[in-house]
Amino acid sequence: MRLITILIVVFVTSITFGQQVFKKKKNLLGSPFEITVIAKDSIQGNQFTELAISEVKRIENLISDWIPTTQISLVNQNAGIAPVKVDLEVFELVKRAKNISKLTDGAFDISYASMDKIWKFDGSMKEMPSAENIKKSVEKVGYENIILNEEDTTIFLKNQGMKLGLGGIGQGYIADKIKVLLQENGCASGLVNISGDINTWGKQPNGTDWTVGIVNPLNKNKVFATFPLNDSAVETSGSYEKYVTFNGKRYSHIIDPRTGYPASGIVSVSVFAKQTELADALATGIFVLGIEVGLDLVNQLKGIGCIIVDEKGAIHASKNIDIKKYQ
C-alpha cells in the first residue's frame, strides 16, 4: 500500500544571516530520508540531525511489520489467538488509522497487509488474475476486525491470517514526531522529508517560508506548481512506475483493500495538511477512491488541500487550492 514518492522538489535558500543550514541524507525505513535544520553552528546542526535519525529508528522498532520483534509484528503473530498489549503511542496510532479507514470507507486500511499477493508489477504478469482469486485475496482484510481495548491498550486481530502494515501512515507519523522532538530540543526551524512525506516548521534563514515544488510525473523535468509551507505538511505520492496494463487499461500497484482490484486513473496525489500522518493516509485513500470521490472527500475536510494528476496528465485540485496562483 506504500506509494512511490519522488515527485517533490524542496527549495532551500542559501542566505544565512548568522544561521546555518544543515542537511543529512540517509536511507532509512527502506526509503530516502532527508532532514534539514537551521542551527547556529555545526555542533548544534549535527545534534539535531542525529536526534532525528534516532527517532526514526526508535519508532521503526515499534511499528515495523518487517522486524519480527516489534509490537506490530507481535500483534500480527497473535492474530486470531490473543490480544497484545502495546505502548499507548502504538495504540493511539492504530486507533487513528482505524478512524481514517472509517472516513475513507475502507479505501485506506492498515489491514491491507493481509492481502494475498496475486498482482505482480515486475513485468512477469501476462494476464489478469481471475475474478474469484481477486475476491479471495482480500478475505482477511477488514479494519472492522481490528479490536482495540482502550482500558488495557491491547490490539487484537479477530481472524487468523490478519496482518497490520503501517506503511501508508507510519512514515508520515515519524515525520510529525521528528518535528515535535526537534522543536522541544530547541530547533526553531527545519524540514523533514521521508520519501515524499514532508513536514516543516519555522522559517528559512532569510525569513521566508519553506517552499516545495510539485512535479507532474508524466513530465518529471517540470515543476507545475510551487507552494510555501508555513508550519505545515505535504505528502506527494505516485504510482507511475509500478503498474500493469490489460485490455488498454492501466492498473496501479495500489490495491483497493475492499475489492482486491488495483486503483486506476491516477498517477499522483499531493495532500496538504497540518500533520504529515493525515496527509500520508489520505493520499493512499484518495488513490483508491478516485478523482471525483477523493476530491469530494477532501472538500469536506477543514484545512486539507489536494492536487491530483490523472493518467492523461491533467491536473485536478480541491476547492481551496488555486493552481494558477502557484504556477
Side-chain angles (χ1 to χ4, degrees):
M1 207 165 185
R2 185 68 209 157
L3 312 181
I4 298 174
T5 53
I6 50 174
L7 307 173
I8 199 158
V9 178
V10 179
F11 300 101
V12 182
T13 177
S14 60
I15 304 172
T16 60
F17 295 117
Q19 294 178 306
Q20 298 180 46
V21 178
F22 292 89
K23 269 188 188 181
K24 184 163 281 191
K25 295 182 180 181
K26 290 182 75 72
N27 194 56
L28 298 171
L29 306 167
S31 303
F33 170 86
E34 183 175 359
I35 178 74
T36 304
V37 296
I38 308 302
K40 62 184 181 182
D41 54 35
S42 60
I43 294 174
Q44 188 182 58
N46 285 329
Q47 287 174 341
F48 290 152
T49 55
E50 288 305 314
L51 264 178
I53 292 168
S54 295
E55 184 71 346
V56 173
K57 294 176 180 178
R58 181 189 74 81
I59 298 174
E60 183 180 26
N61 282 295
L62 285 176
I63 69 172
S64 170
D65 59 317
W66 293 97
I67 302 172
T69 54
T70 69
Q71 294 183 13
I72 289 298
S73 288
L74 293 177
V75 169
N76 291 344
Q77 292 160 19
N78 283 276
I81 301 171
V84 173
K85 186 172 180 61
V86 298
D87 292 355
L88 182 62
E89 176 181 6
V90 176
F91 183 89
E92 292 292 341
L93 176 59
V94 172
K95 181 181 176 181
R96 291 193 301 273
K98 191 173 176 181
N99 287 338
I100 296 173
S101 293
K102 294 176 184 176
L103 181 68
T104 60
D105 194 28
F108 170 83
D109 190 332
I110 58 172
S111 70
Y112 80 93
S114 313
M115 283 191 287
D116 295 331
K117 307 300 187 290
I118 62 172
W119 294 89
K120 308 294 182 185
F121 299 92
D122 57 3
S124 63
M125 281 188 74
K126 303 304 178 188
E127 60 182 12
M128 282 185 65
S130 68
E132 181 182 355
N133 285 340
I134 292 172
K135 183 179 179 181
K136 186 179 178 183
S137 71
V138 292
E139 283 181 348
K140 297 170 186 174
V141 178
Y143 69 91
E144 303 93 340
N145 294 319
I146 304 172
I147 311 302
L148 304 177
N149 185 312
E150 297 266 3
E151 188 174 341
D152 299 329
T153 64
T154 60
I155 302 173
F156 178 52
L157 304 183
K158 192 174 179 180
N159 302 319
Q160 287 193 353
M162 275 190 74
K163 292 180 181 178
L164 301 184
L166 295 174
I169 193 171
Q171 291 186 346
Y173 171 68
I174 291 172
D176 292 340
K177 292 291 285 184
I178 287 172
K179 173 179 175 176
V180 172
L181 177 65
L182 293 190
Q183 285 178 318
E184 289 175 346
N185 282 273
C187 182
S189 181
L191 179 149
V192 57
N193 181 358
I194 307 178
S195 190
D197 292 271
I198 293 178
N199 206 338
T200 66
W201 65 101
K203 303 280 187 180
Q204 296 194 69
N206 67 349
T208 62
D209 290 330
W210 296 97
T211 306
V212 297
I214 308 298
V215 178
N216 187 327
L218 301 182
N219 185 6
K220 289 182 283 184
N221 295 320
K222 184 179 179 182
V223 172
F224 70 79
T226 304
F227 295 88
L229 293 179
N230 185 352
D231 194 32
S232 59
V234 61
E235 203 278 350
T236 297
S237 302
S239 67
Y240 61 95
E241 286 183 337
K242 294 180 72 174
Y243 63 92
V244 292
T245 303
F246 292 116
N247 300 320
K249 186 173 181 179
R250 182 183 183 281
Y251 293 95
S252 157
H253 76 289
I254 308 304
I255 312 295
D256 186 337
R258 304 166 298 181
T259 66
Y261 283 86
S264 61
I266 293 176
V267 292
S268 80
V269 175
S270 299
V271 177
F272 296 83
K274 278 296 181 184
Q275 288 82 33
T276 327
E277 173 190 311
L278 181 58
D280 197 2
L282 283 177
T284 303
I286 291 165
F287 246 98
V288 171
L289 289 171
I291 298 168
E292 186 176 337
V293 177
L295 287 179
D296 183 59
L297 171 63
V298 170
N299 287 332
Q300 297 177 58
L301 300 176
K302 187 177 179 180
I304 306 296
C306 179
I307 298 172
I308 298 172
V309 180
D310 68 26
E311 61 188 6
K312 295 179 181 179
I315 298 166
H316 311 261
S318 55
K319 290 179 180 178
N320 58 353
I321 294 179
D322 181 0
I323 288 289
K324 292 181 181 178
K325 181 180 175 182
Y326 299 101
Q327 288 179 323

